[in-house]
Amino acid sequence: MKIAVYPGSFDPITNGHMDIIKRASRIFDKLIVAVVRNPNKVSMFTVNERMDLIRKAVAGLPNVEIDHFEGLLVDFMRSKNARVIIKGLRAISDFEYEFQMALMNRKLDPNIETLFMMTNYKYSYLSSSVVKEIGRLGGCIGDLVPDEVVLDIQKKLRSLSSGGQDA
Ligand code: ADP
């Protein structure tokens, strides 16, 4: 069985992520969307909230699983019997960092390959940070995130801007 892992912060999931998930899930028998728990990075949504949002958004894709990990991606990959890392590329600005990560992961485990998928041009401007910023300022995020999670994300952003954790 060909298993791929799509790792990321997904803070929160966007239509750009969904596009990569749909396309990658057609190529592999199983796609594991893996939320990274990074203690050095401040996130707006907890790991559980991020996983719940992804779960709702991918409900129609039977070969997509949701998981999370902390530490080295290659260790997580081995624990899942997966050999392919999926990464999305938006612009040249993504390239340098992703290139370095791909080479480092291959050095850590030569059996693991990173596959890059070009963003759909419709989503090349889209990132989780943009969604958070637009939402926080009261803009419409309806076209930016999957329909199934628009309300959940709006609710969270509203609760933060009305004096929640984000102060
Ligand atoms: P960031 O790196 O901005 O914190 P994530 O970690 O959530 O974002 O991103 C996870 C993966 O999804 C990365 O490989 C990233 O390049 C990719 N990605 C994010 N947004 C898009 C998009 N709009 N189109 C294609 N790929 C994307």
Side-chain angles (χ1 to χ4, degrees):
M1 176 144 89
K2 289 221 176 339
I3 306 172
V5 170
Y6 178 36
S9 313
F10 304 105
D11 186 39
I13 187 163
T14 69
N15 283 336
H17 295 133
M18 270 313 284
D19 180 65
I20 299 287
I21 291 172
K22 284 184 194 151
R23 287 158 56 201
S25 71
R26 282 189 225 123
I27 302 173
F28 292 90
D29 299 312
K30 180 155 92 181
L31 179 71
I32 303 172
V33 181
V35 176
V36 186
R37 186 193 294 275
N38 183 350
N40 299 322
K41 204 165 156 185
V42 179
S43 47
M44 186 170 275
F45 294 81
T46 66
V47 169
N48 280 335
E49 285 170 339
R50 287 180 261 160
M51 289 175 68
D52 284 345
L53 294 173
I54 301 169
R55 202 168 285 119
K56 274 193 181 182
V58 306
L61 301 170
N63 64 336
V64 176
E65 267 182 25
I66 328 295
D67 212 325
H68 65 93
F69 72 98
E70 186 171 341
L72 284 180
L73 175 59
V74 292
D75 289 338
F76 176 76
M77 303 282 298
R78 282 191 219 117
S79 76
K80 295 287 165 184
N81 239 338
R83 288 180 50 184
V84 178
I85 302 169
I86 298 291
K87 288 289 186 132
L89 278 184
R90 275 161 293 195
I92 293 289
S93 50
D94 280 341
F95 180 79
E96 203 165 313
Y97 175 74
E98 294 295 354
F99 183 63
Q100 188 183 18
M101 290 295 289
L103 293 187
M104 182 48 76
N105 280 325
R106 195 156 69 208
K107 179 171 168 46
L108 291 171
D109 188 335
N111 292 315
I112 288 178
E113 281 295 343
T114 304
L115 284 193
F116 291 99
M117 299 184 74
M118 292 302 152
T119 183
N120 184 318
Y121 73 95
K122 289 189 284 187
Y123 305 127
S124 58
Y125 62 90
L126 187 50
S127 67
S128 298
S129 318
V130 164
V131 169
K132 286 181 278 196
E133 192 61 8
I134 303 287
R136 203 174 58 80
L137 298 172
C140 173
I141 60 165
D143 287 343
L144 311 181
V145 302
D147 290 346
E148 299 83 353
V149 297
V150 173
L151 292 178
D152 295 314
I153 294 174
Q154 272 172 344
K155 196 168 145 202
K156 172 85 174 188
L157 293 174
R158 243 183 264 127
S159 79
L160 292 176
S161 60
S162 63
Q165 298 143 262
D166 199 28

